[in-house]
Amino acid sequence: MPVTNVRTSSHLDRRSFLKSAAALAALGVGGTPLFTRGALAAAPETLPLSASHWGVFRARVKNGRFEEVIPWEGDKHPSVMLQGMRDSIYSPTRIKYPMVRRAWLEKGPGADPEGRGTGDFVRVSWDKALDLVAAEMQRVRKAHGNTAIYGGSYGWKSVGKVHSCRVLLWRMLKLTGGFVSSVGNYSNAAASVILPHVIGSAGVVDQCTTYEMLAKHCKVLVMWGCNPMNTSNIAWMVPDHGYMKHLDEVKKAGVKLICIDPVRTETCQHFGGEWVAVKPQTDVAMMLGIAHVLYSEKLHDEAFLKKYATGFEDFRKYLVGETDGVAKTADWAAAICGVPADKLRELAHTFAKNRTMLSMGWSTQRQHHGEQPPWMMVTLAAMLGQIGLPGGGFAFSYHYNAGVPSHNSPSVPGMTDGRGRSLADLPPGCTPGNTTSYCMGDAGVSIPVSRIVEMLLNPGMTIDFNGSKVKYPDIKMAFWAGGNPFAHHQDRNEMLRAWRKIETFVVNDFQWTATARHADIVLPVTTSYERNDIEQVGDFALSHIVPMRKIVEPLFEARSDYDIYAGICERLGLKEQYTEGLTEMDWIRNFYEKARMTARSKGQELPVFNAFWNSNDALAFPLEKPQRDYVSYAAYRNDPLLSALGTPSGKIEIFSKAIAKMKYDDCPAHPTWMEPIERLDGPTTKYPLHIASNHPIYRLHSQLCGTSLREKYAVAGREPCWINPVDADKRGLKDGDVARAFNDRGQILVGIKISKDIRPGVIRIDEGGWYDPENPREAGTLCRYGDVNNLTPSVATSKLAQGTSGQTGSCELEKYQGTPPKVAVFDEPAKQASAG
Ligand SMILES: Nc1nc2c(c(=O)[nH]1)N[C@H]1C(S)=C(S)[C@@H](COP(=O)(O)OP(=O)(O)OC[C@H]3O[C@@H](n4cnc5c(=O)[nH]c(N)nc54)[C@H](O)[C@@H]3O)O[C@H]1N2
Ligand SMILES: Nc1nc2c(c(=O)[nH]1)N[C@H]1C(S)=C(S)[C@@H](COP(=O)(O)OP(=O)(O)OC[C@H]3O[C@@H](n4cnc5c(=O)[nH]c(N)nc54)[C@H](O)[C@@H]3O)O[C@H]1N2
Ligand SMILES: [Mo]
């Protein structure tokens, strides 16, 4: 998920900035001071500008009500998701008041934990709610210490540097004593832990060779489980949607697109790409088959491997079967991955003969043994020998807005932890294994983020993690802001059992997600449309700084996360330390002024704050040639000594001595095919259908599920389940049917959508559907709407990364007999409706 540190090879000095700024000014598209054209001509008060994960937009406001979303003029490919935003302000699932679960309120912390999710809440005043939270934090800390409070609070909170709610929560929890934190993410945990061992950097947050360079030099672009036309709709900051124009340039240039994916994706369809419908979770076997063809036909680049990589010889022995007696031939691979051996041979020849870019998304590493696909991809690219050449090599972030060139802009800082230490969304230094107290929530413990349920179920247990050990603390209280664990975490029923061990669960949100419904104390927060803020546009493009202007006044009793934590700190005598005496606008101004100073050191003169804020427009930054011509790993290729990689050997590590030393049974020292716990046609797999729990087209995870956008995709009022006609026929299923998807972990209802764009044996149920338990007290109860994480396993990728395996899992489907139960999760909870 979060991409905040974009790395490019070159930084511009002042002179080159001035030169290019002058050139841009001559073209009338930039200059000093920096404003987008026509900025001041906008009518600020009628169409306030703001920004979201779905893009920059203007709001038409009438009588204090947000009536219409108008995509920003600078966004040439606005996301359809923008049209769902308004509903999240006004929907029946809006949390209106502070609420406390009745049993908790009447009988105290830990009472009737099975009753969570039943909706029996009591409305309380803000004063009472904040008193309860502050007192409970003190009680828990006094009785059990700081390590009894979990504040990892993972999730895709709203954009904005000031109201970044997870950071604000950490600031409060650190100031008041400390907490158990988390490292890593659900997005790319496996890749971002393995790749530093292999290429010396996290890979997933590195800029890619620009699309412009691909259009010029690349002949074959392989989208390996990679679908930018869906997943680049959003960004961790604000999406620029620049990828669309660039993708079209690549298409016009005649680059051949090959999509290796169980789904014929939007990207594949748009390009008229060739679809290779691999069996999910078998990509490593498929790549080994291709590697074997390259090796046995001497198509691999020995000189490159010698000069730029280490350990090929160890890998070679495995490839040809000297170590385990199994040659990883195309025929061997075909039997596993379902792609015919001739096709694998053809792919090997195509890759070797043409300038080829291998571009992998992140689904393949969000699987059991998810460390292996990215490692094998780098190995395959190293054998092809094109790494560092324009248009060739490998990439891990084209699906995530990379490849759009980075503008020359200053970064806008965010909140600190109250002791002056930066609290970036993803603290750059907080890589797994970093045991400084700063990364550990100041309580001395931090866990790999997706291990939360394992931690709750096993206090005191020690696990391996990338060469270090983590001992699980005993958690009594958890605080969540800006995430939806009852959507994002796997194996919902196991999770429900684990949650019963928590005595107090506090949730800040603006909507009644399943997480809020399972809380003990629910605090209603403002949406980002009800407050002011500031943000940058384009996680990689970094093209603008955008004022986020308040659109409407807060609804009901909603308060900002900032005000909520200030209120808690006030009760513990720490309000001044928390707020530093600053208001919302003070913080925005401060962050802008810091960016202005950084810009000045680059020779840019930004407008004064008031001019920026009142312009009601985004501030544009120049784009320069070195960034437009960026080629990843060119510096390494040109000078492997001066630009050595950050690995122990300074080279690409196909064999890692560091990993060998760890002696993990589930992560050997070179890329290896290992059977996942479950897979399509796997030797011990019980259920016949693989579940692709992809990222949704019309949502950001669970966000916007409770809006009218649902009408665009829901089938029979449920989350859609894509299925191939062959599999539907076998089960007597028709388009629009309600079906029950089930396995030993859980059961959900889904709406059937028959499509030839999905491989036989695979169904697609996107992650993020709202969990709607029929009987919340009963383990294994039916989810009426279709939260796919009732079916997925919670197994970790391996001891190395301890990442989520959300894209692993298999199930069976059957037509639902009788009248399906009504979906209730999008209704207002009864108690709130009757309150006040
Ligand atoms: N099976 C399966 N599971 C997956 C995945 C998968 O591919 N397959 N993908 C995983 C990935 S990559 C990710 S990143 C996670 C995503 O998981 P999450 O990031 O937890 O999902 P979101 O739905 O974005 O949840 C964000 C929540 O924050 C709330 N929120 C927004 N703004 C604010 C604010 O200002 N203040 C407060 N207090 N709350 C706010 C929203 O209302 C919403 O409830 O899911 C993971 N789960
Ligand atoms: N619209 C939208 N965009 C998003 C998000 C969202 O929720 N909605 N979430 C954002 C976040 S937080 C993240 S982390 C990224 C996630 O980005 P990704 O992880 O790349 O996205 P996914 O949709 O999970 O998977 C991408 C493709 O991989 C394919 N795939 C699944 N399993 C396999 C397999 O075993 N082998 C192969 N070869 N292909 C496979 C899927 O069919 C899909 O086409 O997306 C981001 N972008
Ligand atoms: Mo993610």
Side-chain angles (χ1 to χ4, degrees), residues 221-226 257-263 265 268 274-279 282-283 286-287 290 337 339 344 347 351 358-359 361 363-364 377 380:
L221 175 56
V222 184
M223 290 288 184
W224 210 307
C226 181
L257 189 82
I258 301 175
C259 303
I260 301 173
D261 201 302
V263 175
T265 61
C268 195
E274 178 185 349
W275 180 28
V276 180
V278 64
K279 283 187 191 173
T282 64
D283 302 273
M286 179 170 170
M287 286 186 268
I290 294 171
C337 73
V339 179
L344 298 181
L347 287 172
F351 296 174
L358 302 174
S359 162
S363 61
T364 45
M377 167 83 82
L380 189 57

Side-chain angles (χ1 to χ4, degrees), residues 210 232 344 360 362 374 391 410 412 423 540 548 691 695 708 734 805:
T210 60
S232 286
L344 298 181
M360 188 173 255
W362 297 342
V412 182
L423 266 184
F540 288 88
M548 292 173 60
I691 313 155
H695 285 237
S708 57
K734 292 190 298 297
S805 303

Side-chain angles (χ1 to χ4, degrees), residues 262-263 275 277-280 680-681 687-692 721-735 737 739-740 752-764 811-815:
V263 175
W275 180 28
V278 64
K279 283 187 191 173
L680 179 57
D681 302 329
Y687 291 97
L689 296 167
H690 170 90
I691 313 155
C721 169
W722 302 31
I723 185 169
N724 187 279
V726 173
D727 295 314
D729 279 355
K730 266 191 216 159
R731 294 163 177 83
L733 291 166
K734 292 190 298 297
D735 246 333
D737 277 353
R740 189 176 75 100
I752 292 296
K753 178 185 153 96
I754 297 177
S755 169
K756 287 188 177 155
D757 292 329
I758 186 151
R759 189 194 196 289
V762 182
I763 56 170
R764 171 177 174 178
C811 71
E812 180 52 292
L813 261 184
E814 64 181 21
K815 193 175 152 85

